[in-house]
Amino acid sequence: DDNQELIAYGASNLFSSFFSCFVGSTSISRTSVADAAGMKSQLMTFVSAVLLLLVLLFIGPLFRPLQQCVLASIIVVNLKSMFRLFNELKPLWKVSKVDCMVWIVTWLAVTLLGLDLGLGVGVGFSLLTI
């Protein structure tokens, strides 16, 4: 079930809100890279976390002198599969104009207003279309 992970994140964040816990989250760029590499199991998450820790500890200091634009380009290259979603706007418009408008409004709001406020605008707009 594709929604199982989202339900687990929601349940864990709901449960942790009653205690002094950190909010659980995921990295979309790391997930898209793992999906492109064909990884399917939870072992991928563990290996990815260990590799990320090793990079932060040993290779991370080497990134310090790089300019932010270089680091941003690395992130953009990793997110290219997400940018390919723009190609699916035309078919989405043919299937559901409302869903396409929700996608466009949410994308614009996140891009122009920032992640927190943009997602709030997207959720609000989605609720208005119901």
Side-chain angles (χ1 to χ4, degrees), residues 43-58:
L43 182 61
M44 177 274 309
T45 305
F46 177 73
V47 171
S48 176
V50 169
L51 287 175
L52 184 62
L53 180 65
L54 291 173
V55 165
L56 287 175
L57 290 176
F58 299 110

Side-chain angles (χ1 to χ4, degrees), residues 81-91 103 107 111:
S81 65
M82 293 183 62
F83 287 119
R84 289 184 187 145
L85 292 176
F86 286 104
N87 295 334
E88 297 179 17
L89 279 178
K90 193 172 183 180
W103 192 97
W107 180 82
T111 303

Side-chain angles (χ1 to χ4, degrees), residues 4 71 87 93:
Q4 184 177 5
L71 297 174
N87 295 334
W93 181 261

Side-chain angles (χ1 to χ4, degrees), residues 33 65 75 83 100-101 115 121 125:
V33 168
I75 293 171
F83 287 119
C100 187
M101 288 305 299
L115 184 63
V121 169
F125 185 75

Side-chain angles (χ1 to χ4, degrees), residues 71-116:
L71 297 174
S73 67
I74 292 170
I75 293 171
V76 167
V77 167
N78 285 330
L79 292 174
K80 69 181 178 182
S81 65
M82 293 183 62
F83 287 119
R84 289 184 187 145
L85 292 176
F86 286 104
N87 295 334
E88 297 179 17
L89 279 178
K90 193 172 183 180
L92 180 61
W93 181 261
K94 291 178 182 177
V95 172
S96 173
K97 291 176 178 43
V98 173
D99 287 342
C100 187
M101 288 305 299
V102 168
W103 192 97
I104 291 170
V105 167
T106 304
W107 180 82
L108 283 172
V110 167
T111 303
L112 299 175
L113 303 174
L115 184 63
D116 295 338

Side-chain angles (χ1 to χ4, degrees), residues 18-72:
F18 295 107
F19 305 98
S20 296
C21 298
F22 286 105
V23 177
S25 64
T26 184
S27 171
I28 295 175
S29 60
R30 199 168 62 231
T31 303
S32 65
V33 168
D35 185 46
M39 297 180 185
K40 302 288 181 198
S41 70
Q42 292 295 326
L43 182 61
M44 177 274 309
T45 305
F46 177 73
V47 171
S48 176
V50 169
L51 287 175
L52 184 62
L53 180 65
L54 291 173
V55 165
L56 287 175
L57 290 176
F58 299 110
I59 303 174
L62 299 175
F63 292 130
R64 195 170 289 148
L66 289 178
Q67 297 292 325
Q68 287 185 351
C69 63
V70 174
L71 297 174

